[in-house]
Amino acid sequence: MSLLITPDALADLIAGSAPVRILDVRWRLDRPDGRPEYLAGHIPGAVYVDLGRELAAHGEPTDGRHPLPSATQLGQAARRWGIDDGDTVVIYDDFTSFAASRAWWVLADAGLPDVRILDGALAGWVASGRPLEEGTVVPEPGAVTLGRGFLPRLSIDDAARLPDSGVLLDVRAAERYRGDSEPLDPRAGHVPGAVNAPTTGNVDADGRFLEPEALRERFEQFGVGDDRPVGVYCGSGITAAHSALALTLAGFAPQLYAGSWSQWSNHPDRPVALGSEPGGRP
């Protein structure tokens, strides 16, 4: 089953008889509420998903800024979105599929078998010449049954140990990895041993994921290989899901450290590395 879908293929799904549920997950750090933009124009039939409230829990700072939602929280949200068992779920956002990838990871981890990202995001749909609709979509409640733990993940202790036996990728921008600046979290730097592989390198100029062969070559340059476990983290577990998807497309089996830097940096007992090298300086 493909993890990506083109605008043409999505249009065919919408026109066909198979059940499909489209989720609009617009979210950015500088604009966490994407509902106004959703109301102004979205793919016909798409339901708005609130990432902060429905795809993340709210815990202590030591849990990170966007902890994974509980099974109960996610199940309630997915039924609100109208998802039933057996549905194909297509997810998009309006910013290079970062937020959409978080939704993909959470739903795939919950056991949904057919979850896909609209490659090229909303801009790709618009560029294909297809229409948008205004207003809100309120579907009949679904009856989907969800689980948890279908995808591999890392705890904070797992993330600390992984560089000894595998590759831990830090997919934040280089300046945050180095510790030059930290606008969001209490300490700057990176997990000792982590390798910097910014998420932006997963896509082309149009926001589409690189071909699997190109993604594989990219990650191999960071030391990723079939014989070594690979984990991935970012600031708060959002863009890390994007790289988890890219790694999956490349044929690897990534483990997501969902707490990410926002959790690690809130634990004063955890060491911090600075600079451009994985080990850095204390």
Side-chain angles (χ1 to χ4, degrees), residues 87-252:
D87 285 357
T88 293
V89 178
V90 177
I91 312 167
Y92 72 91
D93 59 33
D94 62 349
F95 188 59
T96 324
S97 299
F98 288 170
S101 294
R102 167 69 170 219
W104 162 79
W105 194 95
V106 168
L107 290 175
D109 181 67
L112 283 186
D114 189 5
V115 184
R116 312 183 201 183
I117 297 285
L118 178 61
D119 202 17
L122 184 62
W125 178 268
V126 172
S128 73
R130 293 185 167 87
L132 301 178
E133 68 176 9
E134 299 178 356
T136 191
V137 173
V138 182
E140 289 293 322
V144 68
T145 303
L146 299 179
R148 187 181 176 93
F150 284 79
L151 296 180
R153 67 183 72 186
L154 298 172
S155 68
I156 190 170
D157 290 330
D158 295 332
R161 289 190 294 264
L162 186 60
D164 293 332
S165 59
V167 180
L168 181 63
L169 299 179
D170 180 322
V171 301
R172 296 174 300 160
E175 61 270 19
R176 291 186 68 192
Y177 171 85
R178 293 192 301 265
D180 298 347
S181 65
E182 182 45 68
L184 298 168
D185 297 314
R187 293 190 290 165
H190 59 268
V191 176
V195 178
N196 191 212
T199 308
T200 49
N202 297 331
V203 296
D204 65 17
D206 294 319
R208 294 190 298 266
F209 280 88
L210 303 179
E211 292 297 320
E213 296 79 7
L215 287 170
R216 189 172 185 87
E217 181 178 349
R218 175 174 191 257
F219 289 121
E220 286 175 342
Q221 293 174 355
F222 298 116
V224 179
D226 293 324
D227 59 341
R228 308 179 71 193
V230 58
V232 60
Y233 77 90
C234 60
S236 66
I238 305 300
T239 57
H242 191 276
S243 284
L245 177 59
L247 282 159
T248 303
L249 292 170
F252 299 111

Side-chain angles (χ1 to χ4, degrees), residues 3-17:
L3 302 180
L4 303 177
I5 189 169
T6 66
D8 289 346
L10 176 56
D12 289 342
L13 272 182
I14 294 171
S17 57

Side-chain angles (χ1 to χ4, degrees), residues 8-28:
D8 289 346
L10 176 56
D12 289 342
L13 272 182
I14 294 171
S17 57
V20 57
R21 177 60 59 201
I22 306 170
L23 305 181
D24 183 309
V25 191
R26 300 196 214 189
W27 176 93
R28 303 184 192 183

